[in-house]
Amino acid sequence: NAGVTQTPKFQVLKTGQSMTLQCAQDMNHEYMSWYRQDPGMGLRLIHYSVGAGITDQGEVPNGYNVSRSTTEDFPLRLLSAAPSQTSVYFCASSLGRGYRAFFGQGTRLTVV
Amino acid sequence: GQQVMQIPQYQHVQEGEDFTTYCNSSTTLSNIQWYKQRPGGHPVFLIQLVKSGEVKKQKRLTFQFGEAKKNSSLHITATQTTDVGTYFCAGLSNSGYALNFGKGTSLLVTP
């Protein structure tokens, strides 16, 4: 059982470039979320999804897009990367509302 | 909106000393979850508390949920170097779907 898989693990982007962070889970979880982690800021919610075709914004959604076409996949798109988006990004999934979250290994993104 | 606050932000202890981190919410929580993140790793679920006044133990770790369901604590007895990491509490976000995390308490244990 792979759990939650994130790719890539590391990425360096130039300002203005776009890219997609991939997240896949094989636990048939309905809920998936994206968080960013910055020093001293904890985990901040970017976007989340409660099922295929349903997404919503979290605390810090600006500059990011998501879609959920399948239960398994929840990609995060950076439209035009900025240095302020340098961070560690975690994808998480859970069975449903209030259930424990399973996290991926994270993607460390640097925007120069 | 609902906020989850944790104190302290950092704690440095000698091995064998006790450690406590506190979590406070601005609103009543339906449940609270605790996670541990080792340096360079990802958050890993530790426990969930649901009932008012609930106390749960996992070996040297004791978790409490306040009577008003607005605060929680994690206490580690006789810390070990393996306890090093950041401990997060989390409650449901305003939407009621995703988790809202506190900023975490980073624990450093010196042998």
Side-chain angles (χ1 to χ4, degrees):
Chain A
N1 225 357
V4 180
T5 303
Q6 288 184 239
T7 55
K9 287 187 170 51
F10 302 93
Q11 183 71 50
V12 178
L13 286 179
K14 293 183 178 179
T15 297
Q17 286 185 318
S18 63
M19 81 160 292
T20 300
L21 279 62
Q22 301 292 344
C23 176
Q25 52 91 10
D26 62 359
M27 297 174 283
N28 203 31
H29 285 173
E30 287 297 321
Y31 285 25
M32 296 186 75
S33 306
W34 277 101
Y35 295 87
R36 61 176 289 174
Q37 184 173 34
D38 304 292
M41 299 296 292
L43 294 156
R44 291 184 292 170
L45 181 65
I46 304 172
H47 285 284
Y48 65 94
S49 169
V50 299
I54 306 170
T55 64
D56 206 347
Q57 296 181 351
E59 179 187 355
V60 288
N62 292 341
Y64 308 95
N65 271 358
V66 292
S67 60
R68 184 99 180 267
S69 55
T70 67
T71 299
E72 294 78 20
D73 300 298
F74 191 43
L76 178 72
R77 297 182 186 84
L78 279 69
L79 308 173
S80 177
S84 60
Q85 293 179 304
T86 293
S87 187
V88 180
Y89 291 84
F90 288 102
C91 178
S93 74
S94 67
L95 197 56
R97 185 175 185 272
Y99 283 79
R100 59 173 289 187
F102 292 80
F103 282 82
Q105 301 290 327
T107 295
R108 187 174 295 274
L109 175 69
T110 301
V111 182
V112 297
Chain B
Q2 185 243 7
Q3 292 186 11
V4 178
M5 292 157 286
Q6 268 186 269
I7 56 170
Q9 188 175 1
Y10 302 99
Q11 186 80 55
H12 183 185
V13 301
Q14 295 287 322
E15 190 172 24
E17 292 181 336
D18 291 356
F19 159 77
T20 304
T21 173
Y22 300 91
C23 182
N24 293 288
S25 170
S26 55
T27 58
T28 301
L29 300 167
S30 56
N31 66 50
I32 194 157
Q33 299 179 12
W34 285 91
Y35 292 78
K36 177 183 179 181
Q37 183 180 25
R38 295 184 186 275
H42 60 282
V44 175
F45 175 83
L46 292 175
I47 207 161
Q48 176 171 276
L49 304 171
V50 179
K51 299 177 183 176
S52 169
E54 190 169 13
V55 178
K56 286 189 176 180
K57 293 190 175 184
Q58 288 180 348
K59 298 183 180 178
R60 295 177 294 103
L61 278 61
T62 301
F63 302 85
Q64 291 187 313
F65 201 10
E67 294 290 341
K69 301 183 75 173
K70 295 179 73 173
N71 58 76
S72 182
S73 65
L74 158 59
H75 179 81
I76 301 179
T77 303
T79 55
Q80 300 175 358
T81 55
T82 53
D83 295 324
V84 165
T86 301
Y87 293 85
F88 293 97
C89 62
L92 287 177
S93 66
N94 285 338
S95 70
Y97 296 108
L99 290 171
N100 193 23
F101 284 80
K103 293 185 177 181
T105 296
S106 293
L107 173 64
L108 180 62
V109 181
T110 305

